[in-house]
Amino acid sequence: MENIVNEIKKIKDVEVKENENLSQYLNFKIGGNARVFCSVTTEKALIKLLRLLNLNETEYYIIGNGTNILCSDLGYSGVVIKLGNRFIGSKIKGKKVFANAGEQLMELNKKCANSGLMGLELTYGIPASVGGAIRMNAGAFGQNVADSVSYVRFFNGKKVVKLKKEKLDFNYRHSLFTDHPEYVILSCCFKLLKGDKETIIQNMNDVLKKRAKNQPYDKPSAGSVFKRDEKFIVSKCIDELGLKGYSIQDAQVSTKHAGFIVNNGQATCKNVVDLIQYVQKQVYESYGFVPQLEIELMGDFDDIAR
């Protein structure tokens, strides 16, 4: 890894840190250190870095807002890549919206609303970057990001390619990119619809109020822990089992929304995983299915019995 670090330092527009604590970059405020942490400010530098890492078969993990990630207490033994400020930004041309991967979804919503464009407004309040939202096909209130995607530009490990929506295998909290973590989203194009600006803004404000009322925005979390089940509303099952407020150390099933686990201050990854496994066991024993994770696990989990 020392040789890799020396090579990375030669790449312009890449800032390198070693043994950087990851909890400060993740919404959950949980996680150990990254062996190598890179802040990348340009697309050219990112592609050079990725080619170097692929050539040397070095594991890497890219983070945007870090909103749906649970990181191991042992950290990450590879290279963590954080997209810098130049990956933020978007342009609107008519009904088409061109957004960089690092653009904040909430900011993009505001820009679209001010231009009288609708199609993403129900995702307002999701604290994700555009790249992360596309990767997980983020959504809420019956609207998914994929509904409005026209195409996505990404680096496939060898070159930059552009694929239309139909070839991106979008499904519930799933896309081509969840199956291929080596594919790195660079930018995308949304195709939206014209609408009334004031109505769009009102809808966005209503969505935000619902989120603030029903979700634990006041505490660190990684968002909704479990995926939706075909037959059951998972959060309702957890609620019916009386597990709201159930804690293991500082990891707690939210008292506001049973689908969330919050960090009450000093929760570790092991606390959260133990709590997840406890909830899964209780749900299975009562309802006959095991809730599947929506959050992503990052790093080395050898310290946790899974």
Side-chain angles (χ1 to χ4, degrees):
M1 183 61 78
E2 186 177 342
N3 291 334
I4 297 295
V5 171
N6 289 333
E7 290 300 313
I8 293 174
K9 288 179 178 178
K10 296 176 184 179
I11 302 176
K12 184 182 177 182
D13 296 323
V14 177
E15 179 186 354
V16 184
K17 296 179 182 180
E18 297 186 64
N19 300 312
E20 180 79 347
N21 185 264
L22 291 167
S23 64
Q24 62 188 306
Y25 300 101
L26 306 175
N27 268 24
F28 228 149
K29 304 303 179 188
I30 291 172
N33 293 348
R35 172 63 182 84
V36 180
F37 186 90
C38 296
S39 297
V40 185
T41 57
T42 66
E43 186 175 298
K44 183 178 180 180
L46 175 61
I47 291 172
K48 281 187 177 181
L49 174 59
L50 293 173
R51 282 182 170 146
L52 172 66
L53 298 178
N54 290 335
L55 180 65
N56 289 276
E57 298 182 345
T58 303
E59 290 188 4
Y60 60 85
Y61 197 108
I62 295 181
I63 59 174
N65 269 14
T67 51
N68 69 325
I69 299 170
L70 174 62
C71 180
S72 167
D73 297 320
L74 292 178
Y76 188 75
S77 58
V79 177
V80 174
I81 302 171
K82 172 74 174 172
L83 301 183
N85 290 338
R86 293 192 201 176
F87 285 91
I88 297 173
S90 58
K91 294 181 180 179
I92 296 175
K93 294 182 179 180
K95 297 178 184 177
K96 290 185 178 181
V97 180
F98 303 90
N100 293 330
E103 177 78 335
Q104 307 305 301
L105 186 59
M106 287 185 70
E107 289 302 312
L108 185 67
N109 266 294
K110 292 176 185 176
K111 293 178 183 178
C112 293
N114 287 329
S115 295
L117 294 176
M118 58 185 289
L120 290 172
E121 66 276 6
L122 300 186
T123 67
Y124 188 56
I126 295 177
S129 63
V130 167
I134 288 174
R135 185 176 185 278
M136 291 299 295
N137 189 18
F141 306 107
Q143 186 179 82
N144 296 310
V145 169
D147 298 341
S148 300
V149 168
S150 177
Y151 65 78
V152 176
R153 284 179 64 253
F154 62 95
F155 181 68
N156 69 0
K158 296 181 180 179
K159 62 181 181 178
V160 176
V161 296
K162 183 170 73 173
L163 286 183
K164 292 184 179 181
K165 170 183 175 178
E166 292 73 23
K167 295 184 178 181
L168 295 174
D169 196 23
F170 282 120
N171 210 320
Y172 175 72
R173 303 299 173 263
H174 175 270
S175 73
L176 175 71
F177 307 102
T178 53
D179 289 338
H180 294 275
E182 73 276 16
Y183 292 176
V184 179
I185 298 171
L186 301 172
S187 62
C188 72
C189 173
F190 293 103
K191 190 172 183 180
L192 303 181
L193 300 171
K194 276 291 184 182
D196 178 70
K197 176 180 174 180
E198 298 304 321
T199 301
I200 296 169
I201 292 173
Q202 184 60 56
N203 288 340
M204 286 167 52
N205 290 335
D206 290 345
V207 164
L208 201 60
K209 287 178 183 177
K210 288 180 182 178
R211 286 183 176 279
K213 181 180 179 181
N214 300 316
Q215 297 179 9
Y217 270 78
D218 57 330
K219 293 183 178 180
S221 80
S224 183
V225 175
F226 302 107
K227 290 181 180 178
R228 182 179 63 204
D229 185 79
E230 291 182 0
K231 297 181 180 179
F232 298 93
I233 300 174
V234 178
S235 60
K236 184 179 179 182
C237 294
I238 297 170
D239 195 0
E240 289 174 349
L241 288 169
L243 294 177
K244 266 188 177 179
Y246 185 87
S247 300
I248 294 180
Q249 299 296 323
D250 268 2
Q252 181 186 50
V253 177
S254 171
T255 57
K256 214 171 189 181
H257 190 303
F260 285 67
I261 289 176
V262 297
N263 178 0
N264 279 328
Q266 301 297 321
T268 65
C269 178
K270 187 177 188 309
N271 296 155
V272 175
V273 170
D274 287 347
L275 183 54
I276 287 171
Q277 291 175 335
Y278 178 79
V279 170
Q280 288 174 322
K281 182 174 183 290
Q282 298 302 310
V283 171
Y284 177 73
E285 290 178 352
S286 296
Y287 297 94
F289 76 100
V290 178
Q292 299 300 300
L293 292 182
E294 182 171 320
I295 60 174
E296 297 197 353
L297 302 180
M298 172 189 182
D300 304 313
F301 280 81
D302 292 342
D303 58 333
I304 297 170
R306 302 177 64 204

PDB file of all heavy atoms in Angstrom, residues 243-254:
ATOM      1  N   LEU A 243     -40.753  -2.666  19.345  1.00  0.00           N
ATOM      2  CA  LEU A 243     -39.308  -2.457  19.337  1.00  0.00           C
ATOM      3  C   LEU A 243     -38.895  -1.001  19.186  1.00  0.00           C
ATOM      4  O   LEU A 243     -37.702  -0.696  19.222  1.00  0.00           O
ATOM      5  CB  LEU A 243     -38.676  -3.289  18.209  1.00  0.00           C
ATOM      6  CG  LEU A 243     -38.778  -4.815  18.403  1.00  0.00           C
ATOM      7  CD1 LEU A 243     -38.189  -5.540  17.205  1.00  0.00           C
ATOM      8  CD2 LEU A 243     -38.075  -5.237  19.688  1.00  0.00           C
ATOM      9  N   LYS A 244     -39.843  -0.104  18.992  1.00  0.00           N
ATOM     10  CA  LYS A 244     -39.482   1.319  18.973  1.00  0.00           C
ATOM     11  C   LYS A 244     -38.813   1.670  20.296  1.00  0.00           C
ATOM     12  O   LYS A 244     -39.344   1.378  21.372  1.00  0.00           O
ATOM     13  CB  LYS A 244     -40.726   2.187  18.783  1.00  0.00           C
ATOM     14  CG  LYS A 244     -41.020   2.566  17.355  1.00  0.00           C
ATOM     15  CD  LYS A 244     -42.151   3.589  17.308  1.00  0.00           C
ATOM     16  CE  LYS A 244     -42.437   4.044  15.897  1.00  0.00           C
ATOM     17  NZ  LYS A 244     -43.560   5.018  15.859  1.00  0.00           N
ATOM     18  N   GLY A 245     -37.645   2.283  20.196  1.00  0.00           N
ATOM     19  CA  GLY A 245     -36.932   2.668  21.410  1.00  0.00           C
ATOM     20  C   GLY A 245     -36.016   1.599  21.966  1.00  0.00           C
ATOM     21  O   GLY A 245     -35.244   1.859  22.898  1.00  0.00           O
ATOM     22  N   TYR A 246     -36.079   0.385  21.402  1.00  0.00           N
ATOM     23  CA  TYR A 246     -35.207  -0.688  21.884  1.00  0.00           C
ATOM     24  C   TYR A 246     -33.759  -0.336  21.556  1.00  0.00           C
ATOM     25  O   TYR A 246     -33.437   0.068  20.435  1.00  0.00           O
ATOM     26  CB  TYR A 246     -35.584  -2.023  21.248  1.00  0.00           C
ATOM     27  CG  TYR A 246     -34.803  -3.196  21.798  1.00  0.00           C
ATOM     28  CD1 TYR A 246     -35.240  -3.871  22.929  1.00  0.00           C
ATOM     29  CD2 TYR A 246     -33.614  -3.608  21.192  1.00  0.00           C
ATOM     30  CE1 TYR A 246     -34.519  -4.945  23.453  1.00  0.00           C
ATOM     31  CE2 TYR A 246     -32.890  -4.673  21.698  1.00  0.00           C
ATOM     32  CZ  TYR A 246     -33.348  -5.334  22.833  1.00  0.00           C
ATOM     33  OH  TYR A 246     -32.623  -6.382  23.346  1.00  0.00           O
ATOM     34  N   SER A 247     -32.876  -0.509  22.535  1.00  0.00           N
ATOM     35  CA  SER A 247     -31.490  -0.075  22.372  1.00  0.00           C
ATOM     36  C   SER A 247     -30.497  -1.175  22.689  1.00  0.00           C
ATOM     37  O   SER A 247     -30.756  -2.049  23.526  1.00  0.00           O
ATOM     38  CB  SER A 247     -31.190   1.112  23.297  1.00  0.00           C
ATOM     39  OG  SER A 247     -32.003   2.219  23.026  1.00  0.00           O
ATOM     40  N   ILE A 248     -29.363  -1.108  22.023  1.00  0.00           N
ATOM     41  CA  ILE A 248     -28.165  -1.839  22.415  1.00  0.00           C
ATOM     42  C   ILE A 248     -27.071  -0.783  22.536  1.00  0.00           C
ATOM     43  O   ILE A 248     -26.636  -0.218  21.526  1.00  0.00           O
ATOM     44  CB  ILE A 248     -27.792  -2.935  21.404  1.00  0.00           C
ATOM     45  CG1 ILE A 248     -28.872  -4.031  21.394  1.00  0.00           C
ATOM     46  CG2 ILE A 248     -26.426  -3.529  21.732  1.00  0.00           C
ATOM     47  CD1 ILE A 248     -28.604  -5.164  20.431  1.00  0.00           C
ATOM     48  N   GLN A 249     -26.702  -0.495  23.766  1.00  0.00           N
ATOM     49  CA  GLN A 249     -25.812   0.637  24.048  1.00  0.00           C
ATOM     50  C   GLN A 249     -26.448   1.902  23.455  1.00  0.00           C
ATOM     51  O   GLN A 249     -27.619   2.165  23.672  1.00  0.00           O
ATOM     52  CB  GLN A 249     -24.409   0.359  23.507  1.00  0.00           C
ATOM     53  CG  GLN A 249     -23.742  -0.862  24.118  1.00  0.00           C
ATOM     54  CD  GLN A 249     -23.477  -0.748  25.600  1.00  0.00           C
ATOM     55  OE1 GLN A 249     -23.141   0.313  26.120  1.00  0.00           O
ATOM     56  NE2 GLN A 249     -23.650  -1.852  26.311  1.00  0.00           N
ATOM     57  N   ASP A 250     -25.708   2.661  22.641  1.00  0.00           N
ATOM     58  CA  ASP A 250     -26.252   3.902  22.079  1.00  0.00           C
ATOM     59  C   ASP A 250     -26.898   3.729  20.708  1.00  0.00           C
ATOM     60  O   ASP A 250     -27.292   4.712  20.079  1.00  0.00           O
ATOM     61  CB  ASP A 250     -25.155   4.974  22.009  1.00  0.00           C
ATOM     62  CG  ASP A 250     -25.112   5.845  23.252  1.00  0.00           C
ATOM     63  OD1 ASP A 250     -25.911   5.592  24.173  1.00  0.00           O
ATOM     64  OD2 ASP A 250     -24.281   6.770  23.308  1.00  0.00           O
ATOM     65  N   ALA A 251     -26.999   2.502  20.227  1.00  0.00           N
ATOM     66  CA  ALA A 251     -27.739   2.234  18.991  1.00  0.00           C
ATOM     67  C   ALA A 251     -29.188   1.948  19.368  1.00  0.00           C
ATOM     68  O   ALA A 251     -29.463   1.103  20.225  1.00  0.00           O
ATOM     69  CB  ALA A 251     -27.144   1.037  18.261  1.00  0.00           C
ATOM     70  N   GLN A 252     -30.117   2.666  18.738  1.00  0.00           N
ATOM     71  CA  GLN A 252     -31.515   2.582  19.149  1.00  0.00           C
ATOM     72  C   GLN A 252     -32.450   2.555  17.948  1.00  0.00           C
ATOM     73  O   GLN A 252     -32.255   3.303  16.974  1.00  0.00           O
ATOM     74  CB  GLN A 252     -31.870   3.781  20.026  1.00  0.00           C
ATOM     75  CG  GLN A 252     -33.307   3.792  20.544  1.00  0.00           C
ATOM     76  CD  GLN A 252     -33.643   5.076  21.279  1.00  0.00           C
ATOM     77  OE1 GLN A 252     -33.410   6.163  20.778  1.00  0.00           O
ATOM     78  NE2 GLN A 252     -34.175   4.931  22.479  1.00  0.00           N
ATOM     79  N   VAL A 253     -33.468   1.687  18.016  1.00  0.00           N
ATOM     80  CA  VAL A 253     -34.559   1.764  17.045  1.00  0.00           C
ATOM     81  C   VAL A 253     -35.284   3.080  17.326  1.00  0.00           C
ATOM     82  O   VAL A 253     -35.720   3.330  18.442  1.00  0.00           O
ATOM     83  CB  VAL A 253     -35.533   0.572  17.187  1.00  0.00           C
ATOM     84  CG1 VAL A 253     -36.702   0.735  16.208  1.00  0.00           C
ATOM     85  CG2 VAL A 253     -34.818  -0.743  16.945  1.00  0.00           C
ATOM     86  N   SER A 254     -35.376   3.926  16.328  1.00  0.00           N
ATOM     87  CA  SER A 254     -35.932   5.263  16.525  1.00  0.00           C
ATOM     88  C   SER A 254     -37.328   5.230  17.144  1.00  0.00           C
ATOM     89  O   SER A 254     -38.166   4.405  16.768  1.00  0.00           O
ATOM     90  CB  SER A 254     -35.993   6.001  15.184  1.00  0.00           C
ATOM     91  OG  SER A 254     -36.716   7.205  15.297  1.00  0.00           O
TER      92      SER A 254
END
